[in-house]
Amino acid sequence: MHLQSASFSAARSPLPMPRAGSKQPDGGHCSVLPISSSSSSSSSSFSSYPPPFLPRIRPLSCRPTRFFLTPRLANRKSSLGLTTVVKAAEDAARAAAGGTENHGEAAASSYGSSSTSGTVKKLQLGFLFGLWYLFNIYFNIYDKQVLKVYPFPITITTFHFAIGTVLIWLMWMTNLYKRPRISSKQLVAILPLAVVHTLANLFTNMSLGKVAVSFTHTIKALEPFFTVVLSAMFLGELPNLWVLISLMPIVGGVAMASLTEASFNWAGFWSAMASNLTNQSRNVLSKKIMDKDEETMDNITLFSIITVMSFFLLVPVSLLVEGIKFTPSYMRFAGLNLKEVYVRSFLAGVCFHAYQQASYMILAEVSPVTHSVGNCVKRVVVIISSVLFFRTPVSPINSIGTGVALIGVFLYSRVKRTKSKSA
């Protein structure tokens, strides 16, 4: 029996025996406990393992591997000090390289985000231009439909400002836009702007009630002419030769369109001219007065305050001049469709406030020259859409005159842009 066991153990391949103090492949540190060759007590026991003729090996006592995120110099032996310092330097260099790579990735990410934000900003600006044009088209259509059957432009303009005041109040109450704190000094400075703003919109409605929409906007193409004249008179800004040349097709085109306009009458013509004068007076006063104010405000806040002030300025004028002509009893007495007049007046008021709000929002994002170019394109879109919607008869000479005037407005905008870049 002993011979068989001995021959069996001799046939087995020798197992590698770990040495004391050796390391495991995974980095752990193992130590072998002392070997006991004594077999006197267990030689008679068949169930004991290992057999009594083999040396008894106690289990390995292994300490688990420890992983450190940073070098721990204090726990190292002094003989390994140089190695530890070198390793720490290599780790620091590797971390610095990683930091540089991360910085590069952050810069690339920043560039990508800036380009994305630039694209989003362009899309938002294009969306605002679209709203500006769309609301302006619908305002002119609804406003003209109401004024054809309800010829009270002061009451209609007051109603438009009333709707704008309600929308502004809701915007402030819901914190959609911060409610401004206005000083008495600012109110005094804004009052002239509110007066000319009120008159400009009133004269526009008076013109729309008398002549075709396309003709009103053709006359309003003369706005650059009034800008140049008023700037020279009140701001001392004399125009150069190119500006004067660009004004020639504007004046000539409007004159040609006026001579051949089928719906021409002097009340509509002079109302549109007065609208040009008051509109550009507002711009000149804004530049002259608000620049002197130390506590400046943004364009949207200024527009909101002007709208509210215009409403309170126009209410007494409307009651004194036209009386109470908006009650349901008066509408029925005049034979008007109450629902149609009220609904279209309301829609015209909403579009009126919305397109002006969009205009001021665009002006806050772009230069005044770019805004002027956009206004020129808007006028073209409004004229074409009104001609198509109302089927306004337009003669060839009238079309040529309108086109020449609008081309002159575009040239004026280009000259102003070139002048602003050179400055």
Side-chain angles (χ1 to χ4, degrees), residues 397-423:
I397 299 179
N398 185 281
S399 302
I400 294 173
T402 302
V404 169
L406 295 175
I407 291 173
V409 174
F410 180 76
L411 292 176
Y412 171 80
S413 302
R414 297 296 297 179
V415 170
K416 295 292 289 184
R417 174 176 292 185
T418 305
K419 183 180 179 181
S420 62
K421 287 183 177 180
S422 62

Side-chain angles (χ1 to χ4, degrees), residues 91-342:
D91 292 341
R94 194 177 300 111
T100 304
E101 292 175 359
N102 292 337
H103 179 71
E105 292 177 0
S109 175
S110 176
Y111 175 76
S113 63
S114 62
S115 61
T116 303
S117 63
T119 303
V120 171
K121 186 176 181 180
K122 290 181 180 179
L123 291 175
Q124 291 176 347
L125 194 59
F127 180 70
L128 285 176
F129 269 98
L131 290 180
W132 186 22
Y133 294 177
L134 185 65
F135 284 128
N136 203 299
I137 291 171
Y138 276 103
F139 162 71
N140 283 277
I141 290 175
Y142 289 133
D143 199 37
K144 180 63 177 179
Q145 289 178 334
V146 172
L147 288 170
K148 285 173 66 176
V149 298
Y150 186 79
F152 300 103
I154 304 179
T155 303
I156 291 294
T157 309
T158 306
F159 187 66
H160 293 167
F161 284 129
I163 293 176
T165 301
V166 172
L167 293 176
I168 291 168
W169 181 80
L170 291 175
M171 181 178 66
W172 287 343
M173 291 298 103
T174 57
N175 290 326
L176 187 62
Y177 203 82
K178 185 178 179 181
R179 184 178 179 179
R181 295 181 178 179
I182 308 300
S183 63
S184 58
K185 178 183 177 182
Q186 288 177 317
L187 287 176
V188 172
I190 295 173
L191 182 59
L193 302 179
V195 172
V196 293
H197 179 75
T198 304
L199 292 175
N201 288 280
L202 175 60
F203 287 134
T204 299
N205 281 334
M206 292 174 65
S207 179
L208 288 174
K210 297 294 183 178
V211 296
V213 176
S214 57
F215 183 57
T216 298
H217 284 275
T218 300
I219 301 173
K220 286 174 70 66
L222 279 172
E223 285 181 353
F225 174 80
F226 286 91
T227 301
V228 172
V229 173
L230 293 175
S231 297
M233 291 175 60
F234 296 101
L235 301 179
E237 298 178 358
L238 298 178
N240 57 25
L241 179 61
W242 292 109
V243 171
L244 294 176
I245 292 175
S246 66
L247 293 178
M248 293 174 62
I250 299 176
V251 176
V254 171
M256 187 183 300
S258 300
L259 292 174
T260 57
E261 173 62 34
S263 64
F264 178 86
N265 65 72
W266 288 107
F269 175 81
W270 287 116
S271 297
M273 294 291 283
S275 175
N276 287 334
L277 178 63
T278 50
N279 261 321
Q280 300 314 306
S281 299
R282 179 189 61 190
N283 296 338
V284 172
L285 286 173
S286 177
K287 186 175 181 181
K288 185 176 181 180
I289 296 175
M290 298 306 292
D291 287 349
K292 297 180 180 179
D293 192 4
E294 296 178 358
E295 301 176 359
T296 57
M297 62 185 68
D298 59 274
N299 290 327
I300 298 176
T301 301
L302 178 61
F303 166 70
S304 301
I305 296 171
I306 287 176
T307 300
V308 176
M309 293 179 70
S310 297
F311 168 69
F312 287 106
L313 287 173
L314 203 55
V315 166
V317 177
S318 175
L319 294 177
L320 289 174
V321 176
E322 294 180 348
I324 303 176
K325 301 287 181 63
F326 50 86
T327 59
S329 58
Y330 177 83
M331 295 287 184
R332 295 191 185 95
F333 175 77
L336 300 176
N337 188 316
L338 187 66
K339 182 179 178 181
E340 286 188 2
V341 173
Y342 281 171

